[in-house]
Amino acid sequence: MTRVNVGLKFDDLITRVKSYTKDDSDLKMIKKAYNYAKEKHFGVTRMTGEPYIEHPLNVAYILAEIEADSATICAGLLHDVIEDTEVTKEQLASDFTEEIANLVDGVTKINKLNFDGNLGSSSMIATQRKILVGLCEDVRVIIVKLADRLHNMRTLWVHTEEKQKEKALETLEILTPIAHRLGMNKIKSELEDLSLRYLKPEVYYSIVEQLNQSKIERVKAVEEMKLSVSKLLNDEGITHEIKGRAKSIYSIYKKLEKGRRFNDIYDILALRVFVDTIPECYKTLGIIHSKYRPIPKRFKDYIAMPKTNMYQSLHTTVFGDFGYLFEIQIRTYEMDEVAERGIASHWAYKENNGDAKSLMKNNMEQKLQFFRSIIELNTEEERDEDFINSVKEDVFNNTIYVFTPNGDVIELPNGSTPIDFAYKIHTKVGDKMVGAIVNNNIVPLDYKLKNNDIIKINTNKNSFGPSHEWINIAKTNHAKNKIKSFFNKIEKEEYVKTGEELLTKELKKKKIPINEFLSNENISKILKEYNYKDLDELYTSIGNNSIPVNTVINVIVEENKDVKEEILLRKTNKTVDKPQLKNDILVEGIDDIKVNLASCCNPVPQDRIVGYITKGYGITVHRAMCPNVKELEERLVDVKWNELKGKKFPTNIIIHAEKKEDLLLNIIAKTTKSDVTIRTINTYTNKEDNVYEMTILVEAKENLVKFMTDLRQMKSIIDVERLIK
Ligand code: MN
């Protein structure tokens, strides 16, 4: 069910490959490539915290799922060694084969193309797609690239929002159209859904949630329809299989964009009928139409007239039972292969003999030729340019240009206010600002600046400083950070005072003479312990709860422990009941059943939830918006949180922070305020920032929200998100 292959093993890859080829020399080569890549990437970690080899291994697995040949699988395993390690193309050619070296070299080359997010006009995009395709002598290079991107998109949660949007847009503009042209629908569809998830998360999750919540009813209707169609076909002696079919989130999104209503889309259910031969396809269609009235103009014969990417099927929409419309696709198993895997279906491994292989290679070459010519022509643009433009507007084209009274041009993001302008000029201008005049008119501070506005900022040197509210009014992070740091400075003075008081009080309680405790020798020992430069800094940390006063005293009084460890211990030692899920969650109509909380989305009380019946594991409870629930074939049940008091549930968050300081202590300090307990913290770093993945225990969503809001307010924190894997 879960799309992310958590803990994928090399054995899983081999098992998958063995399901379509038994060739020993192929398997040996794949094993060699795996060990080689593992050794070359040894010691390097991905941002997700896993050893680097997990990435190429997952890429190879994706390739095995489309039954790629062994050279392509090897290229998947080795795809980053030229770029990231000292291995050269020549080296690869001698360690493996010329063919594999060429594939890896091809992937390395297209990775060097700089599609840096700012993709420009749609003709530019078309050009870049062309360059990408044109560069590839061998279509398998593009296929490896698609698999590479798919795995990167699956683990995109680890990046900052800005980077996520950049990658998602590039994927949608450059790579999904290529996947589409190659007919690789399964990969294309997952890439589109993932892109939408990061480009328009609100839209994405609201679609998922509506789908999940109306699912029980829809699944029931689909099951009934399956039974009655199946009976019709059995009566006519047609061997067949029928599957329910989940529509992609992206396809629903596109229909919504065209002005269709949610309910109109959801009321259309989808079935897919598989039969053995083409005549049976048409016979099946006739049988279905004889019982269910088709909607005129919705019938399409893609068998007689295949789509340009070779897709074949019969499509019809009929009035089904219970007032639902059913979109029915009828196809042979062979057509299904092509529909899901596209060009990759031409890999069809016949029993191993050299001729079959070279035949297949030629076949793929021909397809690529064909594919090149359609991409050149660039007709039949199926992309929704409006969508891309609107996203681009949201994400990139959001700059305005305004002027100072002297005529200097200032560049600001769209939606900026006079506050942003003032801080852009100088921190002092911002801090001392009392009003703004735009084009000779006094404006409120939340006025949205427009292109070509001339702005004069009024300041007053006696002004106390910015108001807290400005943080919400300001658009730019620059201004927000400056305002926050103004308050941090003021708060710091208060913290120093509180910290000193706390220490004095605690020492008195413990009957330790203050003068003795604060001897020069002790002070320098404490400062060294915490790496602080002076007493003020120590008092600040005590005052703002970053370190418990007792641990400071213990540095001198007892032999010290590592502070961080101490705090973590203190946090995790609080007794946490293992959730008694049977009583925590009420399952509609069922009393005695095992209940688990899903580890992909980690629901907590007050989250909207759905239950999901899994074979042998009882019921797994997901958040209603969890994308992992959307596949249609599984069974959902209604579940509710029971009245719960004082019990805590685990959930995961991810924090991106600036790299300059170790924030952990400050983050931990915030847990007390919202009654959050930290269970585990994983820290990853990359070139730009620190990433913390935390499992925390909370009583309910409101505590979690409070905690996340507190964190977002901290100066060096860039963003905080709940994690759905
Ligand atoms: Mn890669």
Side-chain angles (χ1 to χ4, degrees), residues 55 79-80 148 152:
H55 170 60
H79 79 269
D80 277 329
D148 178 31
N152 285 333

Side-chain angles (χ1 to χ4, degrees), residues 671-684:
T671 57
T672 343
K673 270 170 71 187
S674 32
D675 196 20
V676 162
T677 307
I678 295 177
R679 185 191 266 176
T680 57
I681 304 179
N682 288 316
T683 310
Y684 323 124

Side-chain angles (χ1 to χ4, degrees), residues 138-194:
D138 187 327
V139 69
R140 294 175 298 175
V141 170
I142 304 176
I143 295 176
V144 175
K145 172 73 190 170
L146 288 170
D148 178 31
R149 177 55 58 94
L150 181 55
H151 184 246
N152 285 333
M153 289 295 290
R154 283 174 180 173
T155 51
L156 200 60
W157 49 265
V158 79
H159 290 285
T160 59
E161 199 187 326
E162 194 187 348
K163 183 93 185 271
Q164 288 171 344
K165 289 202 156 41
E166 202 179 290
K167 279 284 154 210
L169 188 65
E170 184 187 287
T171 301
L172 203 58
E173 291 197 325
I174 313 258
L175 292 162
T176 61
I178 291 174
H180 173 70
R181 290 299 155 79
L182 290 172
M184 302 172 73
N185 279 322
K186 208 159 161 245
I187 289 181
K188 175 199 125 189
S189 178
E190 192 178 341
L191 283 174
E192 281 175 345
D193 278 3
L194 286 165

Side-chain angles (χ1 to χ4, degrees), residues 168-333:
L169 188 65
E170 184 187 287
T171 301
L172 203 58
E173 291 197 325
I174 313 258
L175 292 162
T176 61
I178 291 174
H180 173 70
R181 290 299 155 79
L182 290 172
M184 302 172 73
N185 279 322
K186 208 159 161 245
I187 289 181
K188 175 199 125 189
S189 178
E190 192 178 341
L191 283 174
E192 281 175 345
D193 278 3
L194 286 165
S195 299
L196 185 65
R197 171 170 167 182
Y198 292 105
L199 284 170
K200 301 215 156 180
E202 333 74 47
V203 181
Y204 174 84
Y205 286 113
S206 97
I207 294 174
V208 173
E209 185 161 345
Q210 300 211 45
L211 274 178
N212 286 346
Q213 283 181 342
S214 57
K215 195 165 150 180
I216 298 176
E217 226 179 288
R218 286 180 300 117
V219 169
K220 222 158 90 198
V222 168
E223 286 303 314
E224 304 270 341
M225 186 71 176
K226 261 163 80 173
L227 286 178
S228 47
V229 171
S230 200
K231 186 170 177 312
L232 290 176
L233 296 180
N234 283 335
D235 289 349
E236 300 289 329
I238 297 179
T239 322
H240 65 276
E241 244 179 283
I242 304 182
K243 286 191 182 145
R245 169 164 73 86
K247 286 195 204 158
S248 82
I249 311 289
Y250 186 76
S251 70
I252 291 171
Y253 164 75
K254 290 228 314 200
K255 286 180 180 150
L256 289 174
E257 281 281 282
K258 283 183 191 148
R260 303 267 300 275
R261 292 181 316 123
F262 257 118
N263 286 340
D264 295 348
I265 298 169
Y266 290 153
D267 285 349
I268 302 179
L269 303 179
L271 283 188
R272 196 170 278 160
V273 183
F274 302 91
V275 292
D276 291 324
T277 66
I278 291 177
E280 281 174 343
C281 289
Y282 289 102
K283 213 169 154 197
T284 300
L285 179 79
I287 293 167
I288 292 173
H289 280 180
S290 71
K291 161 127 191 223
Y292 298 100
R293 194 158 54 84
I295 295 181
K297 291 188 188 160
R298 292 296 296 273
F299 167 66
K300 299 245 166 59
D301 185 348
Y302 292 120
I303 293 181
M305 285 161 291
K307 289 190 183 179
T308 44
N309 61 19
M310 303 291 162
Y311 175 91
Q312 286 187 300
S313 273
L314 297 176
H315 289 191
T316 184
T317 304
V318 301
F319 293 94
D321 300 326
F322 310 108
Y324 282 104
L325 292 174
F326 279 85
E327 260 173 29
I328 302 180
Q329 299 174 344
I330 305 162
R331 55 174 74 150
T332 63
Y333 293 97

